[in-house]
Structures are given as structure tokens and as C-alpha cells.
């Protein structure tokens, strides 16, 4: 099993405007001290059809990690809408938080994200061009999907 | 006998299909059942709802208590620790053993990402890696001191039951090891393997005592397990998967002769598991004439691949009862409840069956005491509790308990310190984080405005970010249509410590919330120490006060290290020394030709340059020229680098406030100016004929060293205390502390003067021993050891630190240099250093920190010796003890009473743990001093024993040391003896120790 386990992730600003930063308060437990840093990434899945639209919103190293329960806030800018196929900006997509150690990904947490208008009028007659500053996103924060995979923790 | 088979109990895969259950075990308190399954999970069930169908339907009684889903492979074995059941050990396909513990600090709830709801929150506390294949079976020794594991890598591992360190690896099996069991007496361990042997290992030296192979010769290797079991009275071992020809048997062999006496015959296919009932019964003799006669006996359950379970009682040739095919597949594990009335069985078909026996179905229970007596007849005692011999010990023990509790609460307070910190310093962003977190924790509901658009600025100062954030949140409120709440409810994103790593990635230091269950305290330390490191890093990477000019660097330096400096009673180094320290040369050792020629070119220049890194650091005060080197340096065997002549020198905060000493050097033939200022007022100034190269001072005295080897000493008013002092060469170090002025000259001679009494404390002592002894360690001439810093302690003792991080003190009475700190004992891994934690803030701790940070040149590290203690050399004097002793003397030498005291208690604790009697005597006698009545009667002790040590009463110390020593009862005779002697002493001088 993994030396690092995510015990909780709180989505701090949710729901919010599409253009706002993502903020996750990540709590994880480490059962023995790690010599190297953990690398965390937030990936926005731009399209359900191809991974070429996946955007890495941010990538950050976390360390030093003492054993015990640790917490940090991972903040990342909103995805660049120009790189998302216009037809796929609205509706449900996925945002993924991954964590790697020594370039080996050992955990991946996926959330469904719903991008929608709040105003009734826009909802019923969505304009041709997406009105970004009226678009809201809602992360389905209570339904994370966690995938763990075993990696080599010890070097050598 | 009843049978229950709850349908709701099971492990289910993604498609809600029932999957195999490989292992069951009952908690020693009988209330929980652990199961391990193919779905990689461990489940804890309430036994109440399994046994009682009424309770099972009662929604208020939980069925499932906890799901532990962190294994990456099928869970092949689950075992609770004995007696208190504090730990659950699990072995899995993923080659790991996990140790789980109930985390009561967290009242259950849903598990992140799994949707499962836990009532009890069991968390992994240890991860034991070592097996290279599936871990198949586990066993705790009867008193939980050891955990044994075996696996498909043919190995058996023995782990410490407390620390979970790997103690032994037994590798004599030639095939999969599929079962392991402990002798209840603790003398042996038995393992059964696919190499068709059962091996009996002696726990004293882990060699094979016996090997039984005959009953297994024709056994199939198609069983999942060969779970064997030792009888509770220790007399027999029942083994699985035996075969007599084609007939499956469970072979039982006796202790001592290891001969198969009995075989349990009747199952149709191979036997997977046998399990003795943990209770010994008085079983009525059925065939005897006398109905009241009964014999002591054990009950054994057998589970087989024929889907059936049989239960056997000693002396009966037939099974007491057979449960025919309660399962659709092989029985894989059996577990008795601690009271011996329930037998749980699990099967490959994914179901669990419990057999409930009536109270006297087997016979009357043999009491625990009787049971112990039975075991004791084997004469192998693990360790008996020690009987109290006097009340003194008891009193001391209660003192010890109180002291311990206080220590703990102190620790707790320390642990909480960063969170409670009210001084929100600009630099301490971690404490900021926690405060803000607390205030922001209630703002997760959707209605309130938790929108925070601003990215986390990584290099701006704290102050401006907060402003930004506040503004930003105000803005958001204006924009956000749903928001009605005021700004105060906004969640403020805590400031995180963001640094940039070498490869350009941003790096956040996580906020440490708390340690893991078992060992929370030691881990906290590194996070704190590394925080302070980080602060320094951020500071220097801040553009506003980057490393552009020297005064700023000095400020930063003194700010970040001011605490260290204060607590260690050291004067801050008068200048930022280069990382490598001051380079030195030692001539006269065996040197290669090339290095010798190297030297001549250097000395023919008649100049030695200070190391390059220093000139890089001090860019701003421009270098006028290299200073002249006196001819004596060329003659000397030891040469220290010379400071260059700078046009400006300054030393700030001499009195901790605004007092400042400055010095301007001009070109040759113009006298140098020295100024002492407070704020903008000049207190005094003076001119000296030669260029000034070093300045130092504090509120009382100031001193400057000149290029020509002269030294001027001033009082606080600027009066020259002495006429010019002339040294044989110019100074390389000039330090002052209290009344003591230290000068280390270029030729490596060290002097210390007492300025108040105008006396020499140390007169021209050569530092050659330090350099040569240290440089012998490396063959490379150019990397000869340099002096990183020279200090004088408040008691006048010089303390030199070399680039190898050795620290040296001069022993006044012995007239020799003594090494007070050896970096080889520094553990790189700061978490393992219990010493560093305890001595936080003291001089030795500072040294240790120093060594840890700059340990680039650490020679072969001996730190493992210190951590391992005497583990690998049992019976040998413990390395840790030696280390502590060394530290103790060092603390005494460098006059660090606080550290001395802490170390002393650590030392006492170690003595107690190791039962080091002789050391105990030495320590106590030293502290107790002469107690001879006749000596003391005259009011004058004949010996020159000093009752005080660094201002602490030795006997008072002894009082406390004895309290610590009392933690081990086996030392009670000695402890009581000294306690009495001590009391006698107190009475004699008519004083109450508690005053």
C-alpha cells in the first residue's frame, strides 16, 4: 500500500464562476517520512473524446513531508477556454488531481464538474458563443473517485 | 452447538459479486471480527450481530464497523495482537504487512473516495515491507513482543512487536511458507512450508531446533495454506496438510521429542488449517467408570478442502463433532473467540460460518492462573514482573509517572505551539496558515461567498498579500450576485510557503497537522526546524532584500539566527563567513610533491587570498587590496587565510539594539577611522595607523584588529583599555563574549584574554592539533580542513568549528583540545534524532543542526550506531549510551547546564532501559559525592568533591535521576540504596530536598 494516503479533499470555492481559480484543501497522511517531494497536478479534462484537450492547470511540489497528517492548499488557475472545444465547454466534464512520487503516479482523484449558466434565460437559450463570465462551474465535491496504484516507494 | 451463517457478511467486488474470504480473526475482547478478502479489503464486523440474529436485524446495532481498503492485493491474513488487541496486522498479496490501530481521535465517518461509512476508524500506523512475495500467514507472540510473518518468497520474518522493526529473517525453507505459529511459552516458533517440512525455530538464536517432514512427504502443494497451531498448554503442535498415503491427516507432534504421536484422520481432502482453542478445559473421561474423573485437555478445530470443519478433543479417537459442508468450497481460516465458545470459519466461497458452543460442551474451563502454571513447567520464562522490595521504589515510580505526564503535556503544548502562536511574524507563514485555517473552516457552505479569485502570490510579502486578498474578496462580493454575507465571513486563503526548486518547479511546504498515532511527537521536530530553514530561503529570494549588499545580509543573518545565537550564548559571528570557512594550511605533514610546490607558489607571493567565495559574498564594501602578511606566517606550520582589506566594515546591533561599530579603511598612509554610533549619534571615534581587518564588540567592550597584527580594545566610552597589543601576525578571528576576547591569528595561535581583570586565560595555544588531526582524514591537500567559526563561551572557553563540523574546546586544566562534537554521529535524517529534539536550542543542538545542514563533507556517518543502539550487538556496551556520555562531558565543557540536565535524564533513562548497573553506580556515586560521616562532621569534606556542577546541585540532580532510574524495577535495589544514602545526606545538612 501507499505511504501517502489522501484522507480528505475540500473544495474551497464551489460552486463558482468558470473563470475562477480552483482551490483544493488537501489533507493527507504519511506513514513514514519521505526523502523526496510529492508532485501534485490538477488536470482539466477538456473533451470527453480525446486527451489532447487535457490541460494541466498547475503542477506543484510539496515537501518536506514529515510522517503524520499534513495539509496544504492547492490553487490553480481556471482552464484556458481557448483550448477547449467550444462544444464541450458546457455540461459535465472531469477534473483530476494526481499525486506522484519520483515520477510515479500513485493516486488519482477525479471529480465531475458541471459547467452551466445560472440565469434562467441563458439556460433555456444558450447563446452560440459561450458567455464565460456568466458560466458557473459546480464540482461534485462529495463524489470523488479515487484510483490508487502501487508504486516503488524506496529508491533503489 | 449452534451454527450461524449471516448472508450479509461478505466481501463484494465492483459488480457486487461475493468474493473469497481468506482470513478471519476475533478481537481479544470478543466483540469484533476481522475478515480479509479477495477484494483487497479488510472488514471489521461486530460479533454481536453475527451471533444474535435479533441484533443483526436491529438497525441500531451496527454490523460493519470499519472497512480498511488500503492493500493493493488480496488480504491473505488478518491477526489481532493478543490481550489488548491494540493492533491488527494484515498480510497481503501486495507483499506488505500493515499494522492498523484504532484512531479514536476521529469519530468515524465516510472514507475519502470510497463511499463507505466507518463507525470505528482504524488507520494504518506501520507498513512493513520485506517480503518479496505474498504474505500468507502472521502470528503474534503470546505477549505481543514479536510478530512473525511468512510468505511465498520462502521467507519468515520476525518483527518487533512495539517498534515493528525487522529483527530477523529466517531463510531456511526451500518452498512457499504457508503457516506460522508461536509457542505459547515463547521458546519456539513453528512454520510449515511447501518444501514438505515443519521447522521449529529456537527464539533465542533463531536456529532450527527440529525439522519434521515425515507426515508431509506425500502432501499435495495445492493448498492455499498450511496454517498450523500450537496447543495452549504448549505441549503439542497441530499441523495442516499432512498425508498418510492418500489420506489427508492433521499430524500432531509433541514438544521436545517432536515426534508425531497423533494424527487426526477423517477429512476427505487436504487440510488447510488447524486451530487450537485458546482455552484449556477439564474434559470428562467418557470411557472411565468414574463419572467425576476428568483430564486436562485441549480442543482443536480442523478445516479442510472438503468444505468441512471438524472439532477434536484430546484423548478422543473420534472427533467431538463434524460440521459437514457448511461451505461450497475450501475452508481457509479458523478463529476461536477468546473465551473458547465460538469458532469462526471462512471459506473460498466468500462466506463466514460461526459455530456456537454451549458453556460446558467441552468441559470446565481451566483458570488463567492454572494455565500459566502449566506453561511455566517448561521452565522457559519470557520475563516475569519484578516484585517490589520497598516502598521507596513505589514512591519514586509515582514521581516518575508525574514527571512523565508533565513532560507529555509539555510536549503537547510544544506540538500545539505553532498553532497557538499569537505573534504573527511576517516570516512565519506557517503559523499564519493555521490561524487562518481555523477561521476559514466554517465557510464551506455554498451560499456564502467563498469565491477567491486571486492567485497565490509566491514572492510578495505577507502584508501586501493580505491586503490583496481582502480587496479581492470585497470585489467578489460586489460581483457575485448570490452573495449577501459580509466580507468578514470570507475564507481567507492561508499564506503558504512557496519556494522555487532548482528545476523551476514551485514547491509548497505542507502544513503539518499531527503525527501518526503511535509516534507523533518525534516527527514534529523536523517540520519545525525545516520551517526555519525555509524562511531563510524565502527571505533571500525576495527581490526587495536580495543578496545585493552586505549590510542586508548581515541583518537577515542576525534576524534569522538571533534566537539560536541568544539561546546558545554565542555572539553572532562578526561577519558572514564564507560557506567553506576560513581556509588553512598545515605544513609538515606528509604531503605529495605537487601540493608542496603548490604551497611554495602561494607563499612566494607572500600573500594568501581569502577563499574565493568570501569575496563573492562581500561585493559591496569593495576590496582595497590584499592585506600584508607578516613574515612569521611564512615560517609557520599552520597558516590561516588572511582577510582582505575592505574599505568599509560594520558590526550592527552590538547591544541588541542600535549600537553600531563601523570602520573606514583608506589607502595606504592614511589612518583608518573607527566609529561607534547609536542611531545617529556618534558615541566615540578613533583613528588607527594600520588598516583594520576585523572588528567586534558588544555594549561593554569593542575591539579591532589591524593588518599589522595590532589589536585595540576600547571601553564602552571609547577609552582604550590597553595600549596597543601587538601579535606575531594579524588576526583571522576576533570574537568577544562577556569579558572574554578571543583572537586567532594567521599562524594558528589562539589567545583569550579576560578584559575585566586584564589577564590571559589562554595564551598562544596552537590550533595545529585540530587541523592536522582533522585533515588526516582526507588525502586531498587542497581540501584541507578550514575553521568555520571561532567562538568564546561565556565562561571563557574557546569553541572552534571546523569545516568537517567537528567542534573543539580547549580544556583549561588539561591544556589540550577536546572534541565536543563529532559530526559523524549526526543523523542526517533529523526525524531519527531523539537527541536533537530534546536539546533544542542549546549549544550542542546548534552544532548538530549545523552539521546536519552543512554535512556535505561528513565522513563515514556513524549515526546509525547511535540510532540502532545495541541491537546488532546484543550484550555489548550500547553505542547510544556511549554517545550520550560523550555529549554529557561535552555539555559540561561548553558550560551548557540546560542541555546537561536534559542529557543527564536521557542518559539515566537509557541506563534504566538497558539495566546498565555499573554505569548506574558510577553515575550515582559521582553525583552523590562522599557520604562518609566522619568526613562531613568537621563541616569540611576531605576530598575535593564539588557539590555543584555548573550552578546545579549534584545531589539535587541525583534526586531527579533516581526518579528516572526507578522506571525499571529490576534496578530497584540500587535505586533504593542511593535514595537512602541521599536522604541521609539531606538529613545531615538539615535541609529538605524539596525546598
Amino acid at each position: 500500500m501507499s505511504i501517502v494516503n489522501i484522507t480528505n479533499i475540500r473544495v474551497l470555492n464551489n460552486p463558482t464562476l468558470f473563470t475562477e481559480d480552483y482551490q483544493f484543501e488537501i489533507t493527507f497522511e504519511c506513514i513514514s517520512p519521505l526523502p523526496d517531494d510529492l508532485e501534485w497536478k490538477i488536470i482539466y479534462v477538456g473533451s470527453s473524446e480525446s486527451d489532447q484537450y487535457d490541460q494541466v492547470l498547475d503542477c506543484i511540489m510539496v515537501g518536506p513531508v514529515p510522517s503524520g497528517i499534513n495539509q496544504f492548499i492547492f490553487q490553480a488557475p481556471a482552464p484556458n477556454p481557448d483550448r477547449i472545444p467550444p462544444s464541450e465547454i458546457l455540461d459535465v466534464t472531469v477534473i483530476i488531481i494526481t499525486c506522484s512520487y519520483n515520477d510515479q503516479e500513485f493516486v488519482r482523484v477525479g471529480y465531475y464538474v458541471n459547467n452551466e449558466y445560472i440565469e434562467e434565460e441563458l439556460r433555456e437559450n444558450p447563446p452560440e458563443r459561450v458567455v464565460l463570465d456568466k458560466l458557473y462551474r459546480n464540482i461534485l465535491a462529495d463524489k470523488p473517485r479515487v484510483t490508487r496504484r502501487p508504486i516503488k516507494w524506496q529508491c533503489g | 452447538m449452534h451454527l450461524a451463517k449471516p448472508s450479509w457478511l461478505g466481501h463484494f467486488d465492483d459488480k457486487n459479486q461475493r468474493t473469497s474470504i481468506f482470513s478471519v480473526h476475533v478481537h481479544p475482547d470478543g466483540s469484533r471480527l476481522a475478515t480479509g478478502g479477495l477484494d483487497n479489503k479488510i472488514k471489521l464486523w461486530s460479533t454481536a450481530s453475527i451471533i444474535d440474529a435479533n441484533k443483526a436485524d436491529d438497525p441500531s446495532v451496527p454490523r460493519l464497523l470499519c472497512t480498511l481498503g488500503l492493500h493493493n492485493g488480496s488480504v491473505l491474513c488478518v491477526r489481532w495482537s493478543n490481550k489488548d488487541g491494540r493492533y491488527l496486522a494484515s498480510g497481503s498479496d501486495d507483499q506488505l504487512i500493515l499494522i492498523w490501530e484504532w484512531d479514536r481521535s476521529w469519530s468515524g465517518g465516510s472514507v475519502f473516495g470510497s463511499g463507505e461509512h466507518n463507525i470505528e476508524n482504524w488507520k494504518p500506523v506501520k507498513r512493513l515491507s520485506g517480503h518479496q512475495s505474498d504474505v500468507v500467514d502472521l502470528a503474534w507472540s503470546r505477549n505481543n513482543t514479536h510478530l512473525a510473518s511468512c510468505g511465498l518468497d520462502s521467507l519468515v520474518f520476525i518483527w518487533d512487536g512495539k517498534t515493528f522493526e525487522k529483527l530477523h529473517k529466517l531463510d531456511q525453507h526451500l518452498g512457499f511458507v504457508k503457516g506460522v505459529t508461536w509457542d505459547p511459552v515463547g521458546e519456539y516458533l513453528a512454520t510449515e512450508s511447501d518444501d514438505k517440512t515443519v521447522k521449529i525455530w529456537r527464539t533465542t538464536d533463531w536456529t532450527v531446533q527440529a525439522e519434521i517432514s515425515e507426515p508431509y512427504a506425500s502432501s499435495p502443494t495445492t493448498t492455499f495454506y498450511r496454517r498450523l497451531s500450537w496447543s495452549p498448554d504448549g505441549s503439542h503442535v497441530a499441523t495442516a496438510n499432512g498425508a498418510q498415503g492418500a489420506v489427508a491427516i492433521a499430524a500432531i507432534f509433541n514438544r521436545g521429542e517432536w515426534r508425531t504421536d497423533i494424527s487426526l484422520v477423517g477429512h476427505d481432502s487436504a487440510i488447510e488449517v488447524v486451530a487450537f482453542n485458546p482455552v484449556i478445559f477439564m474434559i470428562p473421561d467418557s470411557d472411565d467408570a468414574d463419572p467425576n474423573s476428568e483430564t486436562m485437555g485441549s480442543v482443536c478445530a480442523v478445516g479442510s478442502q472438503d468444505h468441512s470443519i471438524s472439532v477434536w478433543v484430546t484423548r478422543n479417537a473420534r472427533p467431538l463433532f463434524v460440521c459437514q459442508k457448511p461451505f461450497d468450497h475450501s475452508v481457509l481460516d479458523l478463529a476461536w473467540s477468546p473465551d473458547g465458545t465460538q469458532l469462526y470459519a471462512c471459506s473460498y466461497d466468500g462466506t463466514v460460518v460461526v459455530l456456537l458452543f454451549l458453556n460446558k460442551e467441552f468441559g470446565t474451563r481451566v483458570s488463567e492462573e492454572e494455565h500459566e502454571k502449566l506453561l511455566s513447567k517448561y521452565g522457559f520464562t519470557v520475563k516475569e514482573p519484578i516484585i517490589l522490595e520497598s516502598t521507596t521504589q513505589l514512591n519514586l515510580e509515582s514521581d516518575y509517572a508525574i514527571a512523565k505526564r508533565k513532560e507529555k503535556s509539555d510536549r503537547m503544548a510544544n506540538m500545539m505551539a505553532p498553532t497557538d502562536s499569537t505573534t504573527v511574524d511576517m516570516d512565519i507563514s506557517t503559523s499564519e496558515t493555521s490561524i487562518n485555517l481555523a477561521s476559514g473552516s466554517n465557510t464551506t457552505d455554498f451560499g456564502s461567498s467563498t469565491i477567491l479569485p486571486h492567485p497565490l502570490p509566491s514572492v510578495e510579502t505577507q502584508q501586501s498579500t493580505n491586503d490583496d486578498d481582502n480587496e479581492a474578496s470585497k470585489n467578489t462580493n460586489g460581483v457575485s450576485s448570490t452573495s449577501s454575507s459580509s466580507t468578514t465571513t470570507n475564507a481567507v486563503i492561508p499564506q503558504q510557503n512557496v519556494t522555487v526548486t532548482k528545476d523551476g518547479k514551485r514547491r509548497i511546504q505542507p502544513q503539518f497537522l499531527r503525527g501518526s498515532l503511535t509516534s507523533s511527537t518525534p516527527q514534529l521536530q523536523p517540520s519545525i526546524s525545516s520551517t526555519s530553514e525555509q524562511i531563510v530561503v524565502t527571505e533571500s529570494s525576495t527581490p526587495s532584500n536580495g543578496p545585493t549588499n552586505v549590510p542586508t545580509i548581515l541583518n537577515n543573518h542576525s534576524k534569522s539566527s538571533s534566537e539560536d545565537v541568544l539561546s546558545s550564548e554565542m555572539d553572532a559571528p562578526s561577519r558572514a563567513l564564507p560557506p567553506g570557512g576560513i581556509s588553512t594550511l598545515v605544513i609538515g605533514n606528509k604531503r605529495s610533491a605537487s601540493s608542496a610546490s603548490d604551497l611554495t607558489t602561494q607563499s612566494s607571493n607572500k600573500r594568501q587570498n581569502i577563499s574565493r567565495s568570501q569575496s563573492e559574498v562581500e561585493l559591496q564594501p569593495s576590496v582595497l587590496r590584499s592585506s600584508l602578511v607578516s613574515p612569521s606566517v611564512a615560517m609557520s606550520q599552520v597558516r590561516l587565510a588572511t582577510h582582505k582589506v575592505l574599505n568599509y566594515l560594520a558590526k550592527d546591533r552590538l547591544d541588541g539594539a542600535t549600537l553600531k561599530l563601523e570602520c573606514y579603511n583608506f589607502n595606504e598612509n592614511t589612518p583608518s577611522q573607527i566609529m561607534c554610533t547609536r542611531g545617529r549619534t556618534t558615541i566615540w571615534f578613533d583613528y588607527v595607523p594600520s588598516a583594520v581587518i576585523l572588528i567586534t564588540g558588544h555594549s561593554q567592550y569593542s575591539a579591532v584588529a589591524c593588518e599589522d597584527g595590532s589589536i585595540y580594545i576600547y571601553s564602552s566610552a571609547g577609552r582604550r583599555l590597553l595600549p596597543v597589543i601587538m601579535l606575531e601576525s594579524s588576526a583571522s578571528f576576533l570574537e568577544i563574549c562577556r569579558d572574554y576576547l578571543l583572537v586567532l591569528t594567521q599562524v594558528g595561535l589562539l589567545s583569550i584574554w579576560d578584559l575585566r581583570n586584564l589577564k590571559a586565560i589562554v595564551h598562544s595555544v596552537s590550533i595545529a592539533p585540530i587541523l592536522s588531526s582533522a585533515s588526516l582524514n582526507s588525502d586531498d591537500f587542497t581540501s584541507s580542513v578550514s575553521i568555520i567559526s571561532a567562538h568564546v563561551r561565556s565562561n571563557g572557553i574557546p569553541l572552534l568549528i571546523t569545516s568537517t563540523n567537528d567542534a573543539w574546546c580547549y580544556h583549561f586544566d588539561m591544556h589540550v583540545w577536546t572534541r565536543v562534537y563529532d559530526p559523524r554521529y549526526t543523523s542526517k535524517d533529523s526525524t531519527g534524532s531523539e537527541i536533537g529534539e530534546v536539546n533544542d536550542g542549546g549549544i550542542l543542538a546548534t552544532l548538530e543542526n549545523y552539521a546536519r545542514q552543512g554535512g556535505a563533507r561528513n565522513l563515514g556517518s556513524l549515526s546509525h550506531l547511535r540510532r540502532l543502539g545495541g541491537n546488532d550487538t546484543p550484550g555489548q556496551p550500547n553505542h547510544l549510551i556511549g554517545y550520550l556520555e560523550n555529549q554529557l562531558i561535552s555539555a559540561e565543557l561548553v558550560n551548557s547546564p540546560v542541555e546537561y540536565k536534559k542529557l543527564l535524564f536521557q542518559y539515566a533513562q537509557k541506563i534504566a532501559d538497558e539495566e546498565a548497573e555499573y554505569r548506574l553506580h558510577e553515575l550515582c556515586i559521582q553525583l552523590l559525592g562522599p557520604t562518609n560521616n566522619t568526613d562531613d562532621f568537621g563541616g569540611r569534606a576531605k576530598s575535593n568533591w564539588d557539590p555543584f556542577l555548573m550552578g546545579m546541585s549534584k545531589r539535587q540532580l541525583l534526586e531527579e535521576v533516581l526518579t528516572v532510574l526507578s522506571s525499571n524495577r529490576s534496578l530497584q535495589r540500587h535505586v533504593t540504596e542511593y535514595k537512602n544514602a541521599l536522604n541521609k545526606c539531606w538529613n545531615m545538612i538539615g535541609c529538605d530536598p524539596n525546598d
Side-chain angles (χ1 to χ4, degrees), chain B residues 5-13 17-25 33-45 50 64 74-79 91 224-225 227 272-273 327 329-335 344-353:
Chain B
K5 187 174 178 181
S7 58
W8 44 265
L9 198 163
H11 288 245
F12 301 93
D13 63 11
Q17 294 290 310
R18 199 177 270 277
T19 65
S20 301
I21 296 177
F22 291 113
S23 185
V24 282
H25 204 234
L33 179 76
T35 56
L38 184 72
D39 60 350
N40 303 358
K41 286 178 180 149
I42 302 161
K43 291 187 173 184
L44 308 186
W45 312 85
I50 300 174
L64 181 61
S74 304
V75 181
L76 301 180
C77 186
V78 285
R79 292 292 182 259
F224 261 89
Y225 297 109
R227 284 180 167 145
E272 290 272 357
V273 48
F327 298 117
H329 215 293
S330 307
V331 182
L332 293 184
D333 203 3
L334 294 167
Y344 291 85
C346 69
S347 161
Y348 189 77
D349 68 9
T351 55
V352 168
V353 158

Side-chain angles (χ1 to χ4, degrees), chain A residues 1-3 5-10 12-16 20-21 23 25 27-29 31 33 37 39 58-73 75 109 111 136 138 144 146 148-150 153-154, chain B residues 69-72 94 96 98 112-113 123-127 129 437 440-441 443-444 446 450-456 476 479 481 493-494 496 501 505-516 523 526-527 530 534 831:
Chain A
M1 73 144 239
S2 142
I3 286 183
N5 289 301
I6 299 180
T7 50
N8 195 25
I9 296 182
R10 269 199 321 142
L12 292 184
N13 50 349
N14 193 40
T16 184
E20 296 290 350
D21 284 356
Q23 285 171 6
E25 180 198 276
T27 313
F28 62 91
E29 179 161 19
I31 56 175
D37 287 355
E39 184 179 32
D58 202 358
C59 170
I60 198 160
M61 308 302 290
V62 170
V65 182
S67 64
I69 297 176
N70 295 278
Q71 190 175 67
F72 71 100
I73 290 181
Q75 175 157 357
V109 180
Y111 286 101
Y136 282 79
N138 190 348
V146 183
R148 298 185 178 91
R149 64 190 66 160
W153 289 92
Q154 290 95 342
Chain B
L70 287 173
H71 271 296
N72 288 323
D94 63 10
L96 291 176
L98 291 184
F112 180 74
K123 279 192 352 176
V125 288
K126 288 283 174 188
R127 173 184 185 270
S129 58
L437 270 176
S441 58
T443 52
T444 36
F446 286 0
T450 51
I451 305 160
L452 262 181
H454 266 243
L456 207 62
T476 339
V479 170
S481 52
I493 283 289
Q496 296 191 108
T501 60
K505 284 177 176 163
R506 284 186 304 130
R507 179 181 196 232
I508 288 185
Q509 186 187 357
Q511 186 205 355
F512 184 78
L513 295 181
R514 66 188 168 90
S516 42
Q523 273 89 349
S527 83
S530 47
Q534 200 109 8
T831 51

Side-chain angles (χ1 to χ4, degrees), chain B residues 208-317:
Chain B
V208 178
Q209 167 83 23
E211 188 180 300
I212 300 98
S213 55
E214 184 259 319
Y216 319 103
S218 59
S219 70
T221 52
T222 52
T223 50
F224 261 89
Y225 297 109
R226 290 168 180 264
R227 284 180 167 145
L228 66 178
S229 180
W230 211 295
S231 71
D233 60 359
S235 61
H236 290 85
V237 185
T239 60
N241 201 2
Q244 245 167 27
V247 183
I249 59 161
I252 298 181
F253 53 85
N254 62 359
R255 184 198 193 91
E257 293 169 34
W258 316 112
R259 222 184 39 224
T260 37
D261 301 344
I262 311 155
S263 298
L264 307 179
V265 190
H267 280 285
D268 295 337
S269 30
I271 287 159
E272 290 272 357
V273 48
V274 289
F276 270 106
N277 191 318
V279 178
I280 303 173
F281 294 95
M282 297 302 295
I283 296 160
D285 296 334
S286 48
D287 36 299
D288 269 18
D290 182 2
N292 288 331
S293 79
E294 43 184 24
T295 338
M296 210 173 271
S298 341
V299 177
C300 182
V302 180
S304 153
Q305 280 187 337
D306 66 4
H307 316 178
S308 304
I309 304 162
S310 56
V311 177
W312 305 69
V313 173
T314 323
R315 287 180 48 113
N316 280 7

Side-chain angles (χ1 to χ4, degrees), chain B residues 79 109 173 198 261 281 295 307 347 353 411 413 460 548 586 596 654 670 698 716 723 810 892 908:
Chain B
R79 292 292 182 259
H173 271 297
V198 168
D261 301 344
F281 294 95
T295 338
H307 316 178
S347 161
V353 158
R411 269 196 208 160
E460 275 175 275
T548 40
V586 184
L654 296 183
T670 320
H698 54 62
S716 57
Y810 192 73
E892 192 180 336

